[in-house]
Amino acid sequence: MDPSSVSPAPAQSQTFTTMDKDLDAIGSHCQYAYCNQLDFLPFRCESCKGTYCLDHRTENGHKCPRAGEWAAARRNATPTSNTPSLGKPTVLNATQCSHPSCKTYINTLNSVGVGCPTCNRQYCLKHRLKEDHSCSTLVPLGARQSSGPSQADKAKAALGRLRVWGKEKQAAVLPKPKPSTAASRVLAMNTLKRTAKGDVKVPLEKRLYLYVEAEANTTSSKLPKGEFWYNKDWSVGRMLDAAARNLQVENLNNHGGGEEEMLRIYHVEGGRLLGFAEKAGDVCASGNTIVLLRGVGPNT
């Protein structure tokens, strides 16, 4: 056989990478005087700009001659802020949502605060919208005091308009012509009892059936009016709380607000505001109409 026709043997494959550089060129030696260890991932001290191993990477570990210099330079370069740090909210370091019925802490790690540009108050996410915190009824913080009429004068004027409105309302709600026969009165009462809603726990003999409305100029409600029954033995204050829930009217009477936020009941047939301590069955009768109003002041 011709030797020239024999093919050369294939080269043996290598399973490692040949390194041309010296191992010392890969890492760096620790510059600490008593170490000089070769470290492939050395650490750099930002104060003295030296290179050190894992054991001597800290300023105390290599007895840095310029210890604390980098930290001081960084502290001086960062502007100070008077804004309190966010953390666990307490009554001393946190802000509460400006909504009277909300106790949520805002501007914390768990709950951000949203400022309302109209009333200049801070609210949680739930009450951030103007409709959710009744922004139209609030006086903006920092606004100039108006030289117009005082709140007492406004309340008296509102009460005067209310009485005029009540007379017109009384004439409108009473049937025309008024049922003259017992059968007609029974039919009207049966219709009211059939459509009215209320607490089923109230006994039938204790139920007071009323027409309930919310005055649109002083209150905002999701349901403008309705027919409901209440307990005759309840106080007017308790009946007001139930009526506010029925019409979904915001009730701030128990939150310590001023008279401008106070919700009251106007009795159309009686032509007056009812006192909170009066007994519902003594001042109202089934078939009467009551109206919820806000900021009109106590009955005088």
Side-chain angles (χ1 to χ4, degrees):
M1 181 180 292
D2 189 1
S4 60
S5 63
V6 178
S7 59
Q12 186 177 0
S13 60
Q14 297 179 348
T15 59
F16 60 90
T17 301
T18 303
M19 300 183 64
D20 297 334
K21 296 183 179 181
D22 186 12
L23 289 177
D24 294 345
I26 298 177
S28 297
H29 288 274
C30 177
Q31 294 181 358
Y32 186 54
Y34 302 100
C35 181
N36 199 33
Q37 177 183 349
L38 177 62
D39 197 324
F40 296 106
L41 295 174
F43 296 86
R44 184 186 181 209
C45 177
E46 295 297 333
S47 294
C48 64
K49 309 301 180 183
T51 303
Y52 300 94
C53 65
L54 177 64
D55 296 333
H56 303 110
R57 70 187 187 279
T58 63
E59 293 182 352
N60 293 333
H62 63 266
K63 299 180 182 179
C64 183
R66 307 175 70 176
E69 184 176 311
W70 173 79
R74 183 177 182 183
R75 183 169 54 252
N76 295 333
T78 304
T80 58
S81 176
N82 295 327
T83 304
S85 59
L86 299 180
K88 185 177 181 180
T90 65
V91 294
L92 298 178
N93 62 9
T95 305
Q96 195 171 346
C97 176
S98 299
H99 194 278
S101 62
C102 183
K103 297 182 179 180
T104 303
Y105 288 114
I106 58 176
N107 297 324
T108 64
L109 293 176
N110 298 326
S111 179
V112 299
V114 180
C116 178
T118 304
C119 64
N120 299 329
R121 290 173 172 85
Q122 292 284 328
Y123 297 94
C124 63
L125 294 178
K126 181 179 179 181
H127 300 108
R128 68 186 186 278
L129 300 179
K130 296 181 179 180
E131 296 79 7
D132 295 331
H133 61 262
S134 303
C135 188
S136 58
T137 62
L138 299 177
V139 178
L141 295 179
R144 291 186 177 180
Q145 295 293 335
S146 176
S147 58
S150 63
Q151 182 63 29
D153 296 335
K154 293 181 180 179
K156 292 180 181 180
L159 187 57
R161 294 193 302 268
L162 173 64
R163 287 171 176 167
V164 175
W165 173 82
K167 293 180 180 179
E168 298 175 354
K169 192 70 176 177
Q170 181 179 2
V173 298
L174 293 178
K176 293 182 179 181
K178 186 176 181 179
S180 57
T181 63
S184 300
R185 291 192 293 270
V186 170
L187 180 60
M189 183 58 61
N190 289 339
T191 302
L192 175 59
K193 292 181 177 180
R194 186 173 61 253
T195 58
K197 300 177 183 179
D199 188 356
V200 296
K201 297 181 181 179
V202 179
L204 293 176
E205 64 275 7
K206 294 288 186 179
R207 293 183 179 181
L208 178 65
Y209 296 88
L210 299 174
Y211 298 97
V212 184
E213 297 188 18
E215 206 275 317
N217 293 330
T218 59
T219 61
S220 58
S221 62
K222 295 184 179 180
L223 301 176
K225 59 182 178 179
E227 296 82 27
F228 305 96
W229 74 71
Y230 307 102
N231 196 323
K232 297 179 180 179
D233 296 334
W234 287 358
S235 64
V236 172
R238 183 175 179 180
M239 183 174 66
L240 184 148
D241 294 338
R245 289 193 300 269
N246 294 143
L247 297 184
Q248 301 183 32
V249 177
E250 186 179 20
N251 186 4
L252 304 177
N253 289 9
N254 297 326
H255 295 280
E259 186 60 43
E260 63 276 4
E261 297 293 335
M262 191 70 67
L263 196 65
R264 295 184 180 273
I265 288 182
Y266 183 83
H267 185 212
V268 174
E269 284 73 14
R272 68 181 181 91
L273 295 172
L274 301 182
F276 295 140
E278 294 184 86
K279 190 176 180 180
D282 295 341
V283 294
C284 296
S286 293
N288 289 173
T289 300
I290 59 175
V291 183
L292 304 183
L293 306 106
R294 190 187 310 278
V296 295
N299 193 15
T300 56

